[in-house]
Amino acid sequence: MHDPASKPPFNPSIQVSPNNPCPFLRGLVGEGFVEGGTVPLGKLSETIANATGETGLKKASARFQVRGVALIANGLGHVLKSIFSGAQLDALRGGPLDKLGAGSRILGVDGKVNEDEIARFAGYGRTYTDPNGGSEQGLNASEIDVFMRDNLKRAGSAARWYYPLLMKFEWPILLKIIGKGTGEDRYLSVGDVRTLFNERQFPARINQLLVPPVLSTCQRVVRGALKLAALLIAIGLVALVALAEFPNQIRAMLPQKGILVNLLPPPLPAAPAAKAAYWLDQNWSLKDRHWFHHTSQGTATFPVPYEWFMALEQPRLRLLSKPGMMKDSAYLERFGFIPSPQSIQTDTTTLRRYGYANVYETTQAPDWSARWTPAENVDGLPVGFARMTGVTDPATGRREEDKIGLTCAACHTGQIHYQGVDIRFDGGPAMTDLKKLELSTGLSIAYTLYVPFRFNRFADRVLGPDSSKADRAALKQKLSAIGTFLIDWAKTQQKTVEGKKTWNGRQQQDTEEGFGRLDALNRIGNQVFSQDLALSGVKGFEKNLHAQDAPVSYPAIWTVPWLKFAQYDASIEQPLIRNAGEALGVTALLNLSDAYPADRLWRSSVNVRTLGWIEDMLRGPDPFKSAEPKFGGLLAPKWPSQILGDNWKLDQKKVENGRKIYAEMCSGCHLPDISTPAFWSSSHWEPSGDSKVLNAVTIPQKEISTDPEQSLVLSNRIVDVPSFLKVNTADLQTWWQCEIPTASKSPNEMVYALGLMTVVDLVARKWMDDENVPEVERAKIWNLARKNCLNPAPDPRYRARPLNGIWATAPYLHNGSVPSLYWLLKPASERPTRFCMGRRDYDPGTVGFVVSANEKCKTGETEFSATGSDGQPVQGNSVLGHSFERKPGEPKRDGVIGREFKDDAERYDLIEYLKTL
């Protein structure tokens, strides 16, 4: 019930600001229903909703509409003030709702009424029968519409594009509130309009509606609950819009440790379109290059079958559109991957767009891969993605769906950007961020399961739109099991790592790998000695997990087949063990269960024969079998001065100066230029079977003093294996006649290096047994002259490889801690301790990436930092060592490998020469 006694009396003394041009709002102020200044949105919306006479949901809708209009009435700059204080009714003039002369012009800017304009308004109407008796002048809806359109015409160029929209919320609403009659006969009385403008007074019937009802306690509780529900719904809608349109900003505001932040996809840098792209000539044909990019080595890196991955959507929330697909090349490029054509058997325009057209001035090298199993890329995935077909479960022997995995090329294919041009080369360090790809894939699965409508779209793609409910339910159950395993495993890994210490007694925690880095050794250990056991149903070996705290830059792999020891720490000699271990680490299928017949143990999906083909293509012919020794196979890329313009031209005078500096300061460790006789006659070439291998200089870690973490992983990490596997590291001595002991002190607990070497050896032998590989082919695949034995060096050390192609391997040092050659040649204490990585332009002057003081990373870039937020050194991220700072007469000391440079000119001379290698 409305209580007439509660109606405030009309008070003509109440002043209304001329800067309030809305007649209805002027009436509310003049009648004393609201204040004349700032009115809370709740009170304003409730008062106007009362005036409509609506009830229930219609009234709630009216309140919501009024709030929305009032929120922006004073302009976008006042939105926050409107939210917290309310609408400023005395500051509406000039705001978004003021049509600035394109309206009725009844009310002047001084707040005075123009009777001529009221008469003009009346001229658009006719005589109507008053429901209360008699007749009067008025306008119905269509007549009001004509009046408003004529107002716009009169305003001419002063009218704005949005004025017609505003007019839908002005006179028509006034008609709805104070009009008389019903339906098409409802009209707005000119007399009521005159009274409203002149006396700021509503008809009596409206005053009664504006008086708030006296509510019972129950009604107040219900209204309060409805308001709370509306508020929660509004907050939810705002949150949904924010998550859909501004996920990166929302993620940045959340605590970076916890559940909420992990529900949003990691930010990714933008991948601007390149105006041109070029693959550099490296002695491979286009066919060989494409084969290397997409041939499967037997890995199932992604936790879902190939067709499922093709059906997954990106982990983005969209309000008005569907998100893109995970498989979209443009999306995967934002993780650092390089686009690749479906086939090289296509038109030249397409090939050139991918940098694949024959831009070389030389003739094409002969095809190696033509004799091997072809590799396809029918879905146009980026470089490094491969489809594994003919898959069988190693434990059950059951035929499985095709899998999708990463190849060698995913981590060992490089690309630099310069002023919109992409320069690409094989064998170089990738600029990918696999951690972000892992997180995004897991979130895509979670979103598919829990975001409305996504699973149905996923099922349509995988099973077809006409698939049965039973098939869809089975598909969802399988996908849910995968999602549950991923979540549980992430929790297990985090909990295990939190309970462990590093070798130096610090709490273990992951070091961000970021773009261009990966802790491959610890990842392989976690995969083989923990997750593979869990996937085989063997429990209790989560204890083998270790933090990913020794990330390194992806190493260049040209020339590597001819190096005796390939890794940064010179740890593995046997090429097949090196390559098969990598395949296991990138998640090959592997049976480590005793629940099946014993002859299935160690069976895997690793394709040893393909790994041999890849090694052959990288290695090329024996360099010592030609008249003048030289490398074949994959060659290091040459400095692309012929492609990139004047800033890339070599200064021959500087080159010659730099050549002398190199001979003085670098060649003692890194050996002379590979194109010189001095390189090929070096004493570091050792006999290996009927050929030779280069036993590159290795330097004790203490002496070189670069970050020690990678050199300590294999020797300091201890792993435990179940007894039924019978992993006996002493077998290495029997199989390979190693020079140093290989036996473990415990039957089941062993040094990681010995355990990994033995396990990978067993996997490779099992594959050859299952495939009935003849002894002659086995000997070729094994390259028996290269032993699977520990490096006999007595202490942790790093290898100094030849510097051919060094220009294409930034950032520098094994852990990617130095952004350019320029900074590498500065004293270690002067190097930047933080810089950003992602899709950044290359600098041909400093040869690497420019670093500016206090630079802030762009959205999606990752920050390399030598120190954490607590000011303590970050494990694995030291920028020290390999320093040029010894002064004349100063004795040699650890971490300093050369004299200080005279000046930057001398540094740039050496850099100019290094570009030519």
Side-chain angles (χ1 to χ4, degrees):
M1 292 286 295
H2 291 288
D3 181 5
S6 65
K7 176 189 181 302
F10 171 63
N11 186 352
S13 67
I14 296 177
Q15 297 299 309
V16 181
S17 169
N19 289 322
N20 178 350
C22 174
F24 187 79
L25 292 177
R26 292 174 67 81
L28 289 179
V29 175
E31 292 273 26
F33 287 106
V34 297
E35 299 295 330
T38 299
V39 182
L41 296 185
K43 181 176 182 180
L44 185 64
S45 64
E46 180 70 18
T47 302
I48 296 178
N50 287 339
T52 65
E54 303 285 8
T55 58
L57 290 177
K58 288 185 177 180
K59 184 175 181 180
S61 175
R63 284 200 300 267
F64 184 78
Q65 291 175 15
V66 171
R67 275 179 176 269
V69 173
L71 189 64
I72 64 168
N74 297 111
L76 294 179
H78 296 267
V79 168
L80 288 179
K81 186 175 180 181
S82 298
I83 291 174
F84 293 109
S85 300
Q88 296 113 67
L89 302 188
D90 56 354
L92 295 176
R93 180 75 68 184
L97 304 186
D98 183 3
K99 292 184 293 301
L100 303 175
S104 67
R105 301 184 185 176
I106 293 176
L107 192 71
V109 294
D110 55 359
K112 296 181 179 179
V113 175
N114 188 329
E115 282 292 339
D116 291 339
E117 293 296 338
I118 292 181
R120 175 176 173 270
F121 170 70
Y124 284 85
R126 55 189 172 87
T127 302
Y128 285 85
T129 301
D130 187 340
N132 298 318
S135 62
E136 60 181 334
Q137 192 76 5
L139 287 79
N140 65 11
S142 61
E143 290 161 346
I144 289 175
D145 186 60
V146 173
F147 168 69
M148 291 189 300
R149 282 192 276 112
D150 282 355
N151 289 343
L152 286 175
K153 290 179 183 178
R154 179 173 64 169
S157 61
R160 299 290 182 264
W161 62 270
Y162 58 88
Y163 285 180
L165 183 63
L166 291 180
M167 288 182 172
K168 293 181 181 297
F169 299 98
E170 187 185 39
W171 292 97
I173 291 180
L174 197 61
L175 171 66
K176 180 178 180 180
I177 294 177
I178 70 172
K180 297 179 179 179
T182 58
E184 293 182 1
D185 293 329
R186 189 172 182 83
Y187 68 96
L188 186 60
S189 167
V190 173
D192 287 344
V193 169
R194 179 177 282 107
T195 301
L196 182 61
F197 272 98
N198 283 321
E199 301 178 24
R200 307 185 306 278
Q201 189 175 11
F202 297 115
R205 64 184 185 280
I206 303 302
N207 283 337
Q208 294 301 313
L209 291 174
L210 286 167
V211 175
V214 178
L215 302 176
S216 67
T217 301
C218 180
Q219 287 174 317
R220 288 197 299 272
V221 170
V222 171
R223 176 170 290 189
L226 289 174
K227 287 183 176 180
L228 178 61
L231 177 62
L232 293 176
I233 291 172
I235 292 173
L237 288 173
V238 170
L240 184 60
V241 171
L243 290 173
E245 301 303 327
F246 310 102
N248 294 336
Q249 291 83 346
I250 298 299
R251 199 178 201 278
M253 292 189 295
L254 296 173
Q256 295 307 294
K257 289 186 178 181
I259 296 175
L260 290 178
V261 74
N262 291 322
L263 296 178
L264 292 174
L268 300 172
K275 61 185 181 184
Y278 300 96
W279 284 99
L280 299 182
D281 183 2
Q282 294 176 263
N283 199 42
W284 275 359
S285 71
L286 300 184
K287 289 182 180 179
D288 290 347
R289 174 164 269 152
H290 197 257
W291 181 87
F292 174 71
H293 292 171
H294 298 291
T295 192
S296 173
Q297 57 183 347
T299 57
T301 314
F302 297 88
V304 293
Y306 184 91
E307 293 295 349
W308 293 20
F309 183 82
M310 294 297 109
L312 285 174
E313 295 175 355
Q314 297 167 17
R316 284 290 306 268
L317 297 173
R318 295 290 187 189
L319 296 180
L320 303 176
S321 63
K322 296 177 184 177
M325 307 300 294
M326 282 291 297
K327 68 174 182 177
D328 291 346
S329 182
Y331 177 66
L332 295 173
E333 287 171 46
R334 298 179 67 189
F335 295 94
F337 292 99
I338 300 171
S340 181
Q342 294 173 296
S343 168
I344 58 166
Q345 304 298 328
T346 186
D347 60 277
T348 302
T349 301
T350 300
L351 288 176
R352 193 170 295 280
R353 187 171 75 249
Y354 287 97
Y356 256 87
N358 184 11
V359 297
Y360 316 141
E361 295 179 359
T362 59
T363 57
Q364 283 282 292
D367 296 330
W368 283 71
S369 58
R371 48 200 165 137
W372 302 330
T373 304
E376 297 180 343
N377 186 33
V378 294
D379 290 296
L381 295 170
V383 169
F385 286 73
R387 182 173 190 163
M388 180 169 55
T389 59
V391 183
T392 57
D393 185 307
T396 66
R398 183 177 59 244
R399 183 64 181 265
E400 296 278 339
E401 295 180 77
D402 291 356
K403 306 294 184 182
I404 178 170
L406 297 179
T407 73
C408 306
C411 300
H412 301 291
T413 307
Q415 175 176 237
I416 62 171
H417 315 284
Y418 181 74
Q419 296 183 356
V421 177
D422 290 344
I423 299 295
R424 299 163 181 168
F425 38 87
D426 284 302
M431 198 51 66
T432 54
D433 190 331
L434 295 188
K435 185 68 173 180
K436 285 190 174 185
L437 181 60
E438 289 174 353
L439 294 173
S440 297
T441 303
L443 273 177
S444 176
I445 294 171
Y447 281 24
T448 301
L449 289 167
Y450 301 113
V451 174
F453 313 115
R454 283 213 184 185
F455 179 78
N456 284 336
R457 296 198 297 265
F458 174 76
D460 286 345
R461 299 183 188 110
V462 174
L463 302 174
D466 299 325
S467 55
S468 67
K469 289 184 178 179
D471 287 343
R472 287 173 177 256
L475 177 65
K476 190 166 190 176
Q477 185 177 23
K478 291 177 183 177
L479 188 65
S480 181
I482 292 170
T484 300
F485 176 82
L486 294 176
I487 292 171
D488 290 346
W489 189 257
K491 291 178 180 178
T492 297
Q493 182 156 341
Q494 181 178 355
K495 183 178 179 181
T496 303
V497 167
E498 287 176 350
K500 284 190 167 186
K501 302 285 186 181
T502 60
W503 349 113
N504 55 11
R506 293 176 62 185
Q507 168 66 49
Q508 279 192 24
Q509 59 181 345
D510 288 345
T511 296
E512 183 173 21
E513 295 160 316
F515 284 97
R517 299 201 308 166
L518 194 75
D519 184 359
L521 286 181
N522 274 322
R523 280 174 170 265
I524 292 172
N526 290 348
Q527 183 67 46
V528 174
F529 292 104
S530 191
Q531 190 169 97
D532 281 340
L533 286 165
L535 290 169
S536 295
V538 183
K539 298 180 179 179
F541 290 88
E542 296 80 6
K543 59 187 177 182
N544 284 335
L545 288 167
H546 192 284
Q548 295 161 11
D549 58 5
V552 297
S553 178
Y554 298 107
I557 58 175
W558 50 74
T559 315
V560 160
W562 295 101
L563 303 182
K564 184 172 183 177
F565 296 102
Q567 276 67 22
Y568 286 119
D569 60 353
S571 56
I572 298 178
E573 177 182 357
Q574 228 302 316
L576 178 55
I577 297 300
R578 176 225 309 153
N579 297 336
E582 174 268 328
L584 288 175
V586 189
T587 319
L589 306 181
L590 175 63
N591 177 38
L592 297 177
S593 171
D594 61 349
Y596 299 92
D599 66 344
R600 297 181 187 176
L601 204 59
W602 302 114
R603 187 169 288 167
S604 75
S605 63
V606 175
N607 194 323
V608 170
R609 186 171 279 119
T610 299
L611 292 176
W613 292 339
I614 293 172
E615 186 75 7
D616 286 348
M617 207 165 77
L618 288 168
R619 182 174 56 236
D622 189 333
F624 292 98
K625 295 296 191 287
S626 56
E628 293 185 5
K630 62 179 181 179
F631 288 122
L634 181 67
L635 301 181
K638 294 298 183 183
W639 180 255
S641 56
Q642 78 280 11
I643 297 174
L644 291 175
D646 291 343
N647 288 339
W648 291 71
K649 299 298 182 184
L650 293 170
D651 184 321
Q652 290 304 318
K653 183 177 180 180
K654 287 185 176 182
V655 169
E656 291 308 314
N657 291 339
R659 191 189 309 275
K660 297 171 186 176
I661 300 171
Y662 181 88
E664 173 200 351
M665 301 178 68
C666 309
S667 63
C669 293
H670 292 286
L671 304 185
D673 179 356
I674 65 168
S675 65
T676 63
F679 173 79
W680 295 102
S681 61
S682 169
S683 61
H684 286 276
W685 285 102
E686 296 180 356
S688 177
D690 62 352
S691 186
K692 297 179 181 181
V693 291
L694 184 68
N695 191 0
V697 175
T698 60
I699 306 174
Q701 189 279 324
K702 182 177 182 297
E703 181 180 332
I704 197 169
S705 292
T706 55
D707 192 278
E709 297 308 316
Q710 202 262 355
S711 67
L712 298 175
V713 172
L714 290 175
S715 58
N716 284 17
R717 184 174 175 178
I718 303 296
V719 294
D720 196 6
V721 295
S723 57
F724 70 82
L725 287 179
K726 299 178 181 178
V727 177
N728 185 2
T729 60
D731 287 341
L732 294 174
Q733 193 72 248
T734 304
W735 297 333
W736 299 98
Q737 293 77 55
C738 299
E739 298 175 14
I740 60 176
T742 60
S744 295
K745 295 180 180 179
S746 166
N748 301 325
E749 196 173 74
M750 58 200 66
V751 173
Y752 174 34
L754 288 172
L756 183 64
M757 291 163 67
T758 307
V759 165
V760 179
D761 207 311
L762 289 166
V763 169
R765 291 174 189 273
K766 177 61 178 173
W767 183 89
M768 293 184 202
D769 290 343
D770 286 349
E771 295 292 317
N772 296 313
V773 177
E775 289 299 325
V776 174
E777 186 181 357
R778 287 185 187 225
K780 182 178 182 300
I781 292 175
W782 274 117
N783 190 356
L784 293 174
R786 309 284 292 276
K787 294 184 176 183
N788 184 20
C789 300
L790 288 172
N791 188 331
D795 45 26
R797 56 188 52 228
Y798 288 120
R799 178 214 59 196
R801 64 168 290 160
L803 297 184
N804 51 323
I806 185 67
W807 69 269
T809 63
Y812 294 99
L813 292 185
H814 72 277
N815 63 339
S817 61
V818 182
S820 67
L821 285 178
Y822 172 81
W823 287 110
L824 186 65
L825 301 180
K826 295 281 281 186
S829 61
E830 298 179 20
R831 293 170 184 161
T833 57
R834 59 181 297 273
F835 55 90
C836 304
M837 291 302 297
R839 188 182 174 100
R840 300 193 61 183
D841 259 19
Y842 185 93
D843 178 34
T846 61
V847 181
F849 303 99
V850 175
V851 176
S852 57
N854 302 315
E855 68 177 356
K856 293 185 178 180
C857 298
K858 297 177 183 177
T859 298
E861 291 182 340
T862 54
E863 181 184 75
F864 171 91
S865 182
T867 56
S869 57
D870 58 358
Q872 295 299 309
V874 175
Q875 195 92 354
N877 279 10
S878 171
V879 304
L880 303 178
H882 196 279
S883 185
F884 297 91
E885 56 180 279
R886 191 165 60 246
K887 294 179 172 54
E890 187 178 45
K892 184 177 181 181
R893 67 180 189 273
D894 291 340
V896 178
I897 62 167
R899 66 168 175 83
E900 64 178 352
F901 285 83
K902 298 173 184 176
D903 49 29
D904 272 355
E906 195 177 26
R907 288 188 184 89
Y908 282 116
D909 284 347
L910 177 56
I911 290 171
E912 199 76 358
Y913 174 71
L914 292 174
K915 295 175 184 178
T916 69
L917 298 181

